[in-house]
Amino acid sequence: MIQKVEITIDGKTVELPVLEATEGTNVVDVRGLIAEGIYTFDPGFLSTASCESRITYIDGDKGILMYRGYPIEELAENSSHMEVCYLLLCGELPDQAQLSEFVQDIKSRMPVDDQFKHIFDAFSESAHPMSMLCAAVGGLASLYHDGLDIFNAQHRRESALQLIAKIPTLAAMTYRKTIGAKFIDPDPELEYAENFLNMCFGEPGVSSNVSATLASAMDKIFILHADHEQNASTSTVRLAGSTEADPYAAIAAGVAALWGPSHGGANEAVLKMLAEIGDESRVQEFIDRAKDKDDPFKLMGFGHRVYKNFDPRATVMQASCHAVLEEQGIEDEPLLKIAKQLETIAREQDYFIDRKLYPNIDFYSGITLKAMGIPTNMFTVIFAMGRMPGWVAHWDEMLGSPFKIGRPRQLYLGPSKRDYVDINDR
Ligand code: SDX
């Protein structure tokens, strides 16, 4: 039986249906309000569902994250990023033949056109890698826009393959640009994560010497970051895509949104914060600042719009962090000691307990990436690499069904109608 809710305004009652979810919270379908001239008000969309989706489910209270119904812990333990990309895009885990074909489809699209590489000539070596990645991803539209029919499922699949394939090559190029080094082309003999690390840290013409542990840790980082419902950058991709914009441009908008320190830029901000704290003896000072309403400082890597429990990705990330530190022989990583002290103290204090502020994925991903020798300004680039399959899966899901251009309304609080005043009379 479909439930209904009633809203009564100015003596008029409007009946609204409740739409049932297969998992989690049902939603009140407020689309009928516009006919009655009524808007809802929800800045930041804290209680607003923007779409239907079958891709990822989060239960923030229970700390649950599932891609197409598979728990993130099981995928992180047993799967690979390529398999997760297939799962997010196609909805089912691939059999061996499907996975082999998909991996080959990606590998064959990893090389970047030589002419296109000159886009990096426009950047200085001091440019932030995310500024270069925004431009490079959007620039792919210059190669693939002509003849692209976004309403053709095969064309959408090709765009998805191109974006998942090109992002590690472009990401590595942003890093090589910052160190003034020659670009290294993708090696078709290497798997995705190892290929990326080799394109960053390898030698042109020399076989990869990337350690299996680091490649495995990077692959796991990609899996953990692959999708996360309607987060800010994915919602940006959907909004840009809803105008029927070119997919490379829509994804570039997602890259831009991810860069903010409140979102994907938090992993870089966590490292900067830990370095600023500098010593375990100063942890309480920063926790006090985080609690001070007059101080804009927030504890980077803590809190989440949805998780009001441990971020399940942070738990997996924490374990991976220890494995990488051990492999690298970094026993007493000072930043890790500060991080653990911060986590212990924060979680004992009412301010954080009352607001259900727990460490999120960014709290440990930054330390892991640092232990892997990844420079801090590349952390969000790696987040973008991981998130790429999620972005393209949501774009494809939206385009694959009837949709409307996104166009929120507003609560107007500006001046009422007034007449123009000549400048001589002001
Ligand atoms: C990601 O959406 C996603 O799914 C994102 C993501 C993904 O995979 O796509 O999970 C990735 O972006 C993770 C979040 C990374 N960001 C950070 O770690 C930055 C620090 N965190 C905060 O900026 C904040 O927690 C947000 C932005 C993540 C969430 O903010 P909300 O949901 O808008 O929460 P809020 O600002 O309304 O905070 C509620 C209360 C406030 O205090 P009161 O006004 O109630 O007294 O909690 C406080 C906030 O001041 N608070 C914090 C805090 N986060 C929230 N106080 C100190 N430090 C913090 N980190």
Side-chain angles (χ1 to χ4, degrees), residues 24-25 40 49 51 81 99 103 127 135 141 197 223 238 240 267 316 337 400 414:
T25 310
T40 60
C51 63
H81 186 55
L99 180 58
V103 169
L197 290 170
I223 292 173
R238 279 182 174 260
N267 49 21
V316 177
K337 291 167 76 173

Side-chain angles (χ1 to χ4, degrees), residues 228 262-263 293 299 301-302 304-305 313 351 360 387:
H228 217 237
S262 290
H263 187 18
K293 284 299 157 215
L299 222 45
F302 270 77
H304 198 277
R305 171 60 55 77
R313 303 169 298 175
Y351 175 90
N360 56 49
R387 186 52 50 89

Side-chain angles (χ1 to χ4, degrees), residues 127-280:
H128 193 292
M130 281 299 284
S131 66
M132 294 190 260
L133 194 69
C134 282
V137 171
L140 290 175
S142 69
L143 300 176
Y144 304 116
H145 180 73
D146 295 347
L148 177 63
D149 173 6
I150 60 173
F151 295 102
N152 177 318
Q154 285 312 309
H155 287 208
R156 294 202 302 277
R157 175 52 50 84
E158 177 61 24
S159 301
L161 293 174
Q162 285 287 4
L163 281 155
I164 294 171
K166 291 286 190 297
I167 194 73
T169 314
L170 295 174
M173 292 165 86
T174 68
Y175 171 64
R176 299 290 284 189
K177 178 69 184 185
T178 61
I179 61 172
K182 285 180 67 178
F183 297 146
I184 295 176
D185 288 330
D187 178 345
E189 297 305 311
L190 303 180
E191 296 314 313
Y192 198 81
E194 183 182 3
N195 223 333
F196 166 66
L197 290 170
N198 184 56
M199 287 189 280
C200 286
F201 304 117
E203 293 293 327
V206 176
S207 299
S208 163
N209 67 347
V210 172
S211 95
T213 304
L214 294 190
S216 168
M218 185 58 77
D219 195 76
K220 190 169 287 189
I221 286 171
F222 291 152
I223 292 173
L224 294 173
H225 288 80
D227 193 45
H228 217 237
E229 289 189 1
Q230 307 309 321
N231 60 85
S233 53
T234 301
S235 296
T236 301
V237 168
R238 279 182 174 260
L239 188 58
S242 75
T243 70
E244 300 178 32
D246 179 284
Y248 300 92
I251 298 295
V255 174
L258 185 76
W259 193 1
S262 290
H263 187 18
N267 49 21
E268 179 176 356
V270 166
L271 262 288
K272 286 180 178 164
M273 175 188 71
L274 293 175
E276 189 184 352
I277 293 172
D279 184 86
E280 291 174 73

Side-chain angles (χ1 to χ4, degrees), residues 100-110 161-162 165:
S100 301
E101 182 185 2
F102 182 78
V103 169
Q104 191 47 44
D105 282 344
I106 296 296
K107 285 186 175 184
S108 62
R109 292 169 174 79
M110 286 184 78
L161 293 174
Q162 285 287 4

Side-chain angles (χ1 to χ4, degrees), residues 7 45 52 64 142 159 172 203 216 226 231 292 318 362 371 412:
I7 290 183
F45 313 117
E52 299 175 356
I64 290 171
S142 69
S159 301
E203 293 293 327
S216 168
N231 60 85
D292 179 355
Q318 191 179 25
D362 297 292
Y412 178 68

Side-chain angles (χ1 to χ4, degrees), residues 404-420:
K404 297 186 82 62
I405 186 171
R407 205 283 188 204
R409 310 307 287 261
Q410 64 174 14
L411 170 65
Y412 178 68
L413 298 177
S416 300
K417 182 179 176 302
R418 51 186 173 165
D419 295 329
Y420 182 79

